Amino acid sequence: MPIIEITDLAHPGVEIFSSLTEAQLRNRLEPEKGIFIVESPKVIRVALDAGYQPVSLLCERKHIDGDAADIVERCPSIPIYTGERDLLAKLTGYTLTRGVLCAMKRPAARSVADICRDARRIVVIDGVVDTTNIGAIFRSAAALGIDAVLLTPNSCDPLNRRAVRVSMGSVFLVPWTWIDGDFAPLRELGFKTVAMALTDNSIPLDSPILKQEKRLAIVMGTEGDGLPSETISAADYVVRIPMAHGVDSLNVAAASAVAFWELRIP
């Protein structure tokens, strides 16, 4: 395996881990060249198990024969950059808490029909931009039986480094893709849409009518303003989470977990 000792922050190849922004890594102009970064051996293993293709590793020296030994074994043909802990911290801008970063090839986007064809419960994330919330929603989706995740283009990229970390690799476990906000493709697939919103005509989340629906798309809105009025108007159901003590809403990540659990398939 090609293990490369780094002694210089300008070493060719390590700019993937240091100087490139998330937008540059994503490479919208040439998606086939897109890269994303995964942190920690545990999350890297989840990505590898899910079939994601590694490009290079940045690994603290002690982990090559330690915590990351199995990962190194699984990646025999990619460059593995290593060096002293202090140097790697300067390179990445922070101390590597788990000592390992992996650059991976961004997969080609899948169609809505492809990932939703056999799904029964999906979530549509509309305009959620906080990386922590995106990661938490994916983790809840994986844990609570959501079959697929759709995101509007104004939402945060699930393969953002922090979103991946917060999700603990759940972004690799649940199929996901982008949707332009039009519900027509979902209706063609037999889904009824559930807009999570506080309106005068919203029904409670535990309403029996929701459990009777064979296919539901749960639509979650932005952290501040919630869902656009046109999205709410276009939904088949407008749903609220019953609350106490005068609290009117939850953080979108917390609300998603409640909704996923209540609307799960038994």
Side-chain angles (χ1 to χ4, degrees):
M1 66 199 69
I3 296 178
I4 303 167
E5 184 79 22
I6 298 172
T7 57
D8 187 337
L9 297 180
H11 193 101
V14 298
E15 67 278 356
I16 290 177
F17 301 102
S18 58
S19 59
L20 296 186
T21 65
E22 289 284 350
Q24 289 171 323
L25 288 171
R26 186 170 175 182
N27 200 346
R28 288 180 182 271
L29 296 179
E30 297 180 276
E32 70 280 359
K33 296 181 180 179
I35 297 292
F36 66 97
I37 307 296
V38 184
E39 300 179 26
S40 89
K42 181 177 181 179
V43 180
I44 293 169
R45 291 185 192 103
V46 175
L48 291 173
D49 290 344
Y52 284 78
Q53 182 179 339
V55 174
S56 60
L57 278 172
L58 179 68
C59 186
E60 195 176 337
R61 189 181 294 108
K62 67 179 182 180
H63 293 303
I64 292 178
D65 298 315
D67 292 348
D70 62 310
I71 295 172
V72 171
E73 180 91 11
R74 294 175 66 174
C75 303
S77 60
I78 66 172
I80 299 170
Y81 301 101
T82 190
E84 297 295 339
R85 184 178 179 85
D86 290 346
L87 180 64
L88 297 188
K90 291 179 181 177
L91 177 68
T92 60
Y94 57 91
T95 302
L96 299 182
T97 56
R98 299 296 180 182
V100 189
L101 297 178
C102 184
M104 290 190 158
K105 186 175 180 180
R106 182 178 288 271
R110 299 170 64 183
S111 70
V112 171
D114 180 31
I115 72 167
C116 294
R117 186 171 292 110
D118 298 320
R120 297 181 65 189
R121 294 292 186 265
I122 67 174
V123 60
V124 179
I125 300 175
D126 189 340
V128 176
V129 297
D130 183 85
T131 55
T132 299
N133 284 335
I134 290 292
I137 292 171
F138 265 88
R139 191 168 184 181
S140 294
L144 299 174
I146 295 298
D147 300 311
V149 179
L150 306 178
L151 304 100
T152 58
N154 58 337
S155 295
C156 170
D157 175 20
L159 296 183
N160 172 281
R161 185 182 300 190
R162 180 167 176 78
V164 171
R165 182 170 71 247
V166 171
S167 81
M168 291 300 294
S170 296
V171 296
F172 309 126
L173 302 178
V174 184
W176 65 270
T177 195
W178 303 100
I179 188 171
D180 63 9
D182 180 6
F183 291 156
L186 299 180
R187 291 201 172 90
E188 291 171 3
L189 292 168
F191 283 93
K192 292 295 182 66
T193 53
V194 176
M196 300 298 298
L198 296 173
T199 67
D200 292 337
N201 64 340
S202 60
I203 63 175
L205 180 64
D206 56 359
S207 176
I209 192 174
L210 297 173
K211 292 289 186 67
Q212 296 170 11
E213 295 289 357
K214 293 182 178 180
R215 311 187 93 183
L216 285 178
I218 306 164
V219 188
M220 311 296 300
T222 64
E223 296 87 348
D225 298 329
L227 291 170
S229 58
E230 58 270 22
T231 299
I232 296 172
S233 298
D236 296 297
Y237 299 103
V238 183
V239 175
R240 69 181 184 278
I241 299 173
M243 300 188 196
H245 299 293
V247 177
D248 63 354
S249 64
L250 295 173
N251 165 275
V252 65
S256 69
V258 174
F260 297 165
W261 169 256
E262 181 62 33
L263 300 178
R264 73 195 185 283
I265 299 294

